[in-house]
Amino acid sequence: MTVATLAYQSLGVVYGDLSTSPLYVYKTTFSGKLSLHENDEEIYGVFSFIFWTFTLIALFKYTLIVMSADDNGEGGTFALYSQLCRHARLSILPNQQATDEKLSAYATHGSVETWQSSALKSFLEKHPRFRTGLFILVLLGTCMAIGDGVLTPTISVLSAVSGVRLKITALHENYVVLISCVIIVGLFSLQHHGTNRVAFMFAPIVTAWLLCISSIGIYNIFRWNPHIFHALSPVYMLKFLKRTGIEGWISLGGVVLSITEAVFWPVFIVATFAAVVGSQAVISATFSIISQCCLAVTTVMFVTTCLMALVMIIVWKQRIAIAVAFLVIFGSMELLYISASVYKIPEGGWIPLALSFIFMAIMYIWNYGTTKKHKFDVENKVSMNRIVCLGPSLGMVRVPGIGLIYTNLVSGVPAVFGHFVTNLPAFHQVLVFVCVKSIQVPYISEKDRLMISRVGPKEYCMFRCIVRYGYKDLQQENYDFENRLVSGIVQFVEAEEDTTLKTTFISSCGREVGNMDIEKFDAQNQDHSFTNSKSSDILETKTRKGHGGGAPLKDESLQILRAKESGVAFILGHSYAKAKKSSSIVKKFAINVVYSFLSKNCREPDVVLNVPHTSLLEVGMIYHV
């Protein structure tokens, strides 16, 4: 039943695009000088290209191969890259931990490691430049799709609505623009309901469309040209290129319309209704405009092919020969289409390309700045020796309450806390370092969302909470974070028992402490994942246990709950990047302008965790890169 439902929904998502695009391929392909070659031989040749492009790329490559490389049900460029990162440790994201590999979605077990996969993984791990190059390739593929998608819906809807003027000649252009805007806003508003509902909504329309177009197609075959089946022979592709020469090669950019377009909902709906009122010519013109974006689309296809070849070796443990054959067969076809689409650049294809490179530059600058920021935080974190020498009071008066300090670090004590220790006379009784980080899996289940561990000796009453998200998770929590956090810490303390790491550490100041969580012990320190429960439930349980329902909570747990009742404060440390004076003008612009703007406008942890502004304290630091 589940498969049948998904198949039905796919009609509204996938086939809505595939079933409409081929309608306009011939009109787009036979444009310009090639319109002089519209005889049976050339038509058969184009049809042969369409058929084999559908068969080889859409069916064999994507349906049978690429879809088998899903990442826990997710597909696309990021899904392929995510698998490579997990299996070959290619990630350039900071804050990755060994404990992340315990997540069920992170599973990397599978086929037995081969010498070929081991050699390739070792090569990539030893050469950071190749890892960076792979990352840029992924950004390129992603940004090409975005650059194409920015323009396509707008152009499509505007051009299709303009077709109404063929019937209503008095309709002013201003009204055409207004109607187009209303349709675009309406269509994109529907996406808010999710792919699931939207697919159900459009599946009946696509089903009816497929039935109509297939019936018409069968009728036309028997009525006009029963010999069209001869075009299934690949020989006609060679004949087409031989007879039409360079013009035929250039026209292959239009053939790409048969398997892509980021056109989906807007073009499909508007084109269908516009065709009904007789605006076929305008819709064909629309696809001619869209075809100018085909260089961007074919690049995405080629990037997918390259990543898939790596997945075959590293993840699937296939022989290199198989991956090379896959790359050569499909890559050569896509490079042929890319080369044909190059001629579209002067005609308007440069616009999506320019947008793509702008998006890619922004993404790369953001990643570069974030990496440098993490490096600064790691290099300037407070030594545990210093913390230990201060004693359990940390050299301050520990007042009732809980202080949550947000940091980018998953281990150690952030530099911002050193400023508190130096400059503040008092701090909270319970300290919790909170880190929000992303993991290379699509989703993180709620029971695995928070990971609690202890920082320092037990009497220091310091903890760490790592809030983990997948790359498909929406980083916006609607639940009461502080209650979940306190509940998790209490559960951690109660479950700690004697399983906590027993080790003794002699600090540089001569103080002997047990259960020390310094940097080299962070990975070994006991952590505890927990399900959704509220501190009110803990209090209720404590009350029941106090009346003979079992052993009461530990003193430390009661201390944490009392601190919660005294209040919770949220401290957010900001690090502002500045390029060094010796840096180039390009780097200064990238860091001081672009990255600074992005960091000031990005979603901070306080927004992600729904922190009340009345309890938030922000502290800033400047670092140079």
Side-chain angles (χ1 to χ4, degrees):
M1 184 61 183
T2 303
V3 176
T5 302
L6 292 174
Y8 177 74
Q9 288 178 305
S10 69
L11 288 172
V13 178
V14 180
Y15 295 100
D17 179 19
L18 292 177
S19 63
T20 55
S21 298
L23 297 177
Y24 312 98
V25 172
Y26 276 98
K27 197 69 176 179
T28 304
T29 303
F30 288 102
S31 60
K33 295 180 181 179
L34 204 65
S35 60
L36 303 176
H37 294 269
E38 280 189 273
N39 55 42
D40 283 355
E41 284 284 310
E42 280 72 32
I43 291 176
Y44 285 3
V46 173
F47 182 83
S48 186
F49 266 106
I50 295 172
F51 175 80
W52 287 108
T53 300
F54 252 121
T55 303
L56 293 177
I57 296 182
L59 179 61
F60 283 99
K61 176 189 167 182
Y62 280 99
T63 305
L64 300 181
I65 300 177
V66 176
M67 288 184 66
S68 300
D70 68 296
D71 184 14
N72 296 280
E74 297 296 326
T77 305
F78 278 148
L80 295 175
Y81 182 62
S82 174
Q83 293 184 77
L84 291 173
C85 289
R86 297 203 302 267
H87 285 78
R89 303 185 186 280
L90 301 180
S91 175
I92 57 177
L93 291 175
N95 282 340
Q96 301 304 303
Q97 296 173 286
T99 51
D100 297 338
E101 300 178 13
K102 297 179 182 179
L103 295 167
S104 57
Y106 202 99
T108 57
H109 59 274
S111 305
V112 179
E113 193 78 33
T114 65
W115 70 266
Q116 293 158 317
S117 62
S118 298
L120 182 58
K121 287 164 61 174
S122 177
F123 174 81
L124 292 172
E125 290 173 5
K126 292 179 180 178
H127 296 81
R129 291 186 178 182
F130 284 93
R131 293 202 301 272
T132 303
L134 180 62
F135 175 69
I136 293 175
L137 182 67
V138 171
L139 289 184
L140 176 64
T142 304
C143 294
M144 285 291 182
I146 296 174
D148 179 51
V150 167
L151 296 177
T152 299
T154 306
I155 296 173
S156 304
V157 172
L158 183 61
S159 300
V161 173
S162 298
V164 178
R165 299 182 66 190
L166 296 177
K167 294 292 182 180
I168 309 176
T169 55
L171 186 65
H172 195 273
E173 287 186 3
N174 293 342
Y175 292 104
V176 172
V177 174
L178 178 62
I179 295 172
S180 301
C181 292
V182 171
I183 292 175
I184 291 174
V185 171
L187 291 173
F188 276 89
S189 297
L190 290 176
Q191 311 306 313
H192 178 71
H193 297 287
T195 305
N196 185 46
R197 295 182 180 179
V198 174
F200 263 107
M201 184 186 306
F202 288 99
I205 301 176
V206 180
T207 302
W209 178 256
L210 287 171
L211 290 174
C212 291
I213 200 67
S214 59
S215 301
I216 295 172
I218 293 172
Y219 170 79
N220 285 336
I221 288 174
F222 288 100
R223 176 69 176 83
W224 298 105
N225 197 340
H227 302 293
I228 191 64
F229 293 106
H230 294 167
L232 298 182
S233 171
V235 174
Y236 282 94
M237 292 191 292
L238 300 177
K239 290 183 178 179
F240 173 77
L241 293 177
K242 184 178 180 179
R243 290 173 64 93
T244 58
I246 191 171
E247 292 298 329
W249 169 61
I250 295 173
S251 71
L252 294 181
V255 176
V256 179
L257 287 173
S258 64
I259 55 170
T260 66
E261 274 314 303
V263 187
F264 35 94
W265 305 121
V267 173
F268 170 65
I269 298 171
V270 178
T272 302
F273 284 102
V276 172
V277 297
S279 57
Q280 180 64 46
V282 177
I283 299 306
S284 299
T286 297
F287 275 84
S288 298
I289 297 173
I290 294 170
S291 67
Q292 296 169 4
C293 302
C294 290
L295 180 58
V297 177
T298 49
T299 302
V300 177
M301 293 161 52
F302 183 69
V303 169
T304 301
T305 300
C306 295
L307 293 177
M308 192 64 225
L310 291 176
V311 168
M312 285 181 169
I313 301 173
I314 295 175
V315 181
W316 290 357
K317 310 297 190 296
Q318 295 293 326
R319 294 192 298 271
I320 291 182
I322 296 177
V324 171
F326 173 84
L327 182 62
V328 169
I329 293 173
F330 294 104
S332 59
M333 293 178 58
E334 289 154 358
L335 285 176
L336 177 64
Y337 287 132
I338 290 175
S339 63
S341 300
V342 168
Y343 278 81
K344 301 291 183 181
I345 294 178
E347 301 174 13
W350 64 271
I351 299 177
L353 286 180
L355 288 174
S356 301
F357 284 112
I358 290 173
F359 290 138
M360 187 173 70
I362 291 173
M363 289 184 180
Y364 185 80
I365 290 172
W366 173 255
N367 179 268
Y368 176 81
T370 303
T371 303
K372 290 296 183 180
K373 180 177 183 294
H374 179 261
K375 182 179 179 181
F376 172 83
D377 290 339
V378 170
E379 293 175 348
N380 292 274
K381 60 185 179 182
V382 180
S383 168
M384 284 303 300
N385 277 333
R386 179 184 173 188
I387 299 297
V388 169
C389 291
L390 295 173
S393 67
L394 301 178
M396 301 180 290
V397 177
R398 302 292 289 271
V399 298
I402 299 178
L404 305 183
I405 302 177
Y406 291 94
T407 173
N408 295 315
L409 300 176
V410 295
S411 64
V413 178
V416 67
F417 184 69
H419 290 279
F420 291 137
V421 172
T422 304
N423 300 303
L424 295 182
F427 211 78
H428 301 86
Q429 183 181 14
V430 179
L431 298 181
V432 184
F433 299 104
V434 180
C435 173
V436 179
K437 75 166 190 173
S438 298
I439 299 181
Q440 302 150 138
V441 295
Y443 300 99
I444 301 292
S445 62
E446 286 302 317
K447 67 182 181 65
D448 294 325
R449 178 79 69 208
L450 306 186
M451 189 173 69
I452 309 294
S453 61
R454 189 183 291 278
V455 178
K458 193 172 184 178
E459 58 270 21
Y460 284 54
C461 206
M462 297 192 300
F463 300 90
R464 187 185 316 282
C465 173
I466 300 176
V467 188
R468 304 184 289 187
Y469 289 94
Y471 59 82
K472 289 283 287 184
D473 278 323
L474 177 63
Q475 293 195 15
Q476 176 68 60
E477 301 298 350
N478 297 318
Y479 57 78
D480 192 346
F481 172 71
E482 64 181 63
N483 279 336
R484 279 197 65 189
L485 175 61
V486 172
S487 172
I489 295 175
V490 170
Q491 290 183 47
F492 169 78
V493 171
E494 290 297 306
E496 200 172 19
E497 298 292 338
D498 295 327
T499 60
T500 305
L501 176 67
K502 299 293 183 181
T503 186
T504 300
F505 175 76
I506 307 298
S507 70
S508 59
C509 59
R511 181 183 297 276
E512 181 177 315
V513 293
N515 302 334
M516 171 56 64
D517 175 14
I518 57 174
E519 286 77 2
K520 68 177 181 179
F521 295 126
D522 266 351
Q524 307 171 40
N525 194 31
Q526 174 72 19
D527 58 69
H528 181 64
S529 298
F530 54 92
T531 55
N532 231 348
S533 60
K534 304 291 185 181
S535 58
S536 57
D537 299 332
I538 300 295
L539 291 171
E540 184 180 346
T541 304
K542 180 196 73 170
T543 304
R544 290 199 306 268
K545 289 183 177 181
H547 288 83
L553 295 178
K554 296 179 181 179
D555 291 340
E556 186 179 10
S557 299
L558 296 175
Q559 178 185 355
I560 293 170
L561 291 172
R562 285 193 293 267
K564 164 65 171 61
E565 294 174 355
S566 299
V568 178
F570 301 83
I571 297 94
L572 179 62
H574 287 286
S575 297
Y576 299 100
K578 289 287 185 182
K580 297 177 181 178
K581 292 183 178 180
S582 58
S583 301
S584 64
I585 296 177
V586 175
K587 186 175 182 179
K588 287 181 179 179
F589 176 79
I591 298 298
N592 297 346
V593 179
V594 180
Y595 182 75
S596 177
F597 174 80
L598 293 174
S599 59
K600 288 178 181 178
N601 291 276
C602 73
R603 180 176 291 173
E604 295 285 359
D606 59 306
V607 178
V608 173
L609 301 176
N610 200 20
V611 173
H613 291 285
T614 55
S615 303
L616 181 64
L617 172 64
E618 299 187 52
V619 180
M621 295 179 63
I622 297 178
Y623 64 96
H624 293 84
V625 296

